Amino acid sequence: MKRAILLGLVLVCAASGCSLNFIKRRLPPPTRQDDGTVLFRFEAPAARVVQVAGDWPENNWLAGQAQTGSYLVGLMEDPDQDGVWERREPLGPGRYLYKFVIDEQNWKEDPNNPVRVDDGFGGFNSVVIVD
């Protein structure tokens, strides 16, 4: 039934010349890279600043290490301005909780990672396991 509705929508859209911009691209969940880092990706085309917040010691949910004095812990980059923000983190083996923070106020779980746990505040933390 759902497939038939979607097919009908696609056919109507194609006949009328509309685009399917409402279908979001799916990014991979965090992945281990050849250099040993973990690559985090988050799509936020309208964001001015995106950060990855997590429970590893160097990040400490954006608190960082007290001696650094940095306010932009976990800062992600979008050098090609395609709306996909990226950051590589040197994480050792373990299980880590994380969220993305958009414009220093909106905390979001990773929509591309189905592995999550209750965050204790009515939402979820995403989970990445590094072997």
Side-chain angles (χ1 to χ4, degrees), residues 90-101:
L91 300 176
R95 177 180 177 266
Y96 302 97
L97 305 179
Y98 71 98
K99 281 190 175 183
F100 296 106
V101 183

Side-chain angles (χ1 to χ4, degrees), residues 61 97-99 109 115-120 123-127:
W61 297 107
L97 305 179
Y98 71 98
K99 281 190 175 183
E109 67 188 78
V115 184
R116 61 188 194 167
V117 296
D118 188 311
D119 69 2
F124 296 94
N125 289 322
S126 297
V127 178

Side-chain angles (χ1 to χ4, degrees), residues 27-124:
L27 298 172
T31 52
R32 186 116 167 123
Q33 304 299 293
D34 291 338
D35 64 1
T37 61
V38 175
L39 177 59
F40 291 86
R41 297 177 192 95
F42 186 74
E43 186 172 14
R48 293 183 328 271
V49 176
V50 178
Q51 295 165 269
V52 61
D55 67 350
W56 50 96
E58 297 79 16
N59 187 293
N60 192 25
W61 297 107
L62 299 186
Q65 296 174 330
Q67 66 270 24
T68 65
S70 173
Y71 293 101
L72 291 177
V73 174
L75 187 62
M76 300 179 79
E77 297 180 347
D78 181 14
D80 58 5
Q81 310 243 326
D82 66 350
V84 177
W85 298 76
E86 298 182 347
R87 179 172 179 92
R88 292 175 186 259
E89 285 286 343
L91 300 176
R95 177 180 177 266
Y96 302 97
L97 305 179
Y98 71 98
K99 281 190 175 183
F100 296 106
V101 183
I102 298 89
D103 294 331
E104 301 182 61
Q105 59 185 355
N106 295 318
W107 293 64
K108 305 285 184 187
E109 67 188 78
D110 189 342
N112 300 300
N113 185 354
V115 184
R116 61 188 194 167
V117 296
D118 188 311
D119 69 2
F121 298 99
F124 296 94

